């Protein structure tokens, strides 16, 4: 089940973050410094920002255990750009989280990650030698070994026409 994070999820959220190890793209940025979410104090601050200060977090859970997270940061800092951070135990969970995002979030978001990141590779699709991105992501920029993708939902989007039953299998 995928849903919005709430106050009751505190210990489960911390456990998920701490179990992720040091995944280099599962971080938040504060004052131009990156903080990995595998530390209790950082994960606790992010949880607080999501439940009390406007940042958003969608979680995927099974049997009461979180197995995937999409963080939308930048609301609590009142920054112009809102960033998306994704971490999950499998690509099937990530697929479900992105579908949920498509149905429940319409404003512009950004993903910044290393070019060789498995999430970037998951979003890529090649058509006739050109690279496109799934789930309404578009190329937004590149710096050194990082790529930035922008998520912007088309206002004419109709989710009922895009997703079919066989997409879930």
């Amino acid at each position: 089940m995928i849903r919005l994070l709430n106050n009751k999820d505190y210990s489960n959220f911390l456990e998920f973050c701490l179990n992720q190890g040091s995944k280099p793209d599962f971080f938040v940025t504060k004052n131009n410094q990156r903080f990995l979410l595998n530390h209790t104090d950082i994960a606790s601050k992010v949880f607080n920002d999501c439940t009390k200060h406007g940042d958003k977090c969608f979680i995927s859970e099974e049997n009461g255990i979180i197995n995937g997270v999409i963080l939308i940061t930048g609301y609590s800092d009142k920054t112009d750009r809102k960033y998306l951070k994704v971490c999950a135990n499998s690509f099937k969970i990530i697929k479900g989280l992105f579908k949920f995002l498509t149905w429940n979030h319409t404003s512009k978001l950004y993903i910044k990650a290393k070019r060789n990141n498995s999430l970037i590779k998951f979003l890529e699709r090649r058509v006739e030698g050109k690279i496109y991105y799934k789930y309404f992501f578009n190329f937004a920029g590149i710096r050194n070994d990082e790529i930035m993708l922008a998520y912007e939902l088309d206002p004419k989007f109709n989710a009922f026409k895009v997703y079919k039953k066989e997409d879930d299998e």
Side-chain angles (χ1 to χ4, degrees), residues 19-64:
N19 287 338
Q20 296 313 305
S22 56
K23 290 185 178 176
D25 290 314
F26 193 49
F27 65 88
V28 291
T29 305
K30 301 285 182 189
N31 300 322
N32 291 328
Q33 291 186 337
R34 291 181 178 184
F35 299 99
L36 293 176
L37 289 167
N38 63 347
H39 299 289
T40 304
D41 54 337
I42 303 298
S44 184
K45 167 86 171 94
V46 168
F47 181 86
N48 190 42
D49 286 347
C50 290
T51 56
K52 295 183 174 75
H53 298 291
D55 284 352
K56 295 182 175 136
C57 180
F58 299 113
I59 59 170
S60 171
E61 67 178 351
E62 191 172 322
N63 299 324

Side-chain angles (χ1 to χ4, degrees), residues 60-76:
S60 171
E61 67 178 351
E62 191 172 322
N63 299 324
I65 296 171
I66 295 175
N67 57 15
V69 168
I70 284 188
L71 288 173
I72 303 172
T73 63
Y75 291 101
S76 63

Side-chain angles (χ1 to χ4, degrees), residues 12 15 26 28 30 33 52 59-60 64 79 83-84 91 105 119 125 127 131 134-135 137 150 156 158 160:
N12 204 355
E15 183 178 340
F26 193 49
V28 291
K30 301 285 182 189
Q33 291 186 337
K52 295 183 174 75
I59 59 170
S60 171
T79 58
Y83 283 94
L84 194 63
F91 284 117
H105 198 82
L119 177 63
R125 67 174 182 233
V127 178
I131 297 176
K134 301 178 209 169
Y135 301 105
F137 284 95
K156 298 178 212 160
N158 181 348
F160 293 108

Side-chain angles (χ1 to χ4, degrees), residues 115-117 119-134 136-142 147-149:
R115 283 190 222 188
N116 61 355
N117 183 305
L119 177 63
I120 299 297
K121 299 297 180 198
F122 170 75
L123 290 171
E124 282 182 356
R125 67 174 182 233
R126 294 180 186 271
V127 178
E128 297 177 4
K130 294 182 181 180
I131 297 176
Y132 297 93
Y133 296 93
K134 301 178 209 169
F136 303 100
F137 284 95
N138 296 304
F139 178 80
I142 198 163
I147 188 169
M148 184 181 292
L149 301 179

Side-chain angles (χ1 to χ4, degrees), residues 91-118:
F91 284 117
K92 183 178 180 183
I93 295 166
I94 289 174
K95 192 177 191 180
L97 286 165
F98 278 135
K99 285 181 183 179
F100 188 85
L101 179 74
T102 303
W103 281 83
N104 294 285
H105 198 82
T106 56
S107 63
K108 194 167 191 172
L109 301 170
Y110 296 90
I111 289 180
K112 189 182 338 179
K114 303 281 185 206
R115 283 190 222 188
N116 61 355
N117 183 305
S118 58

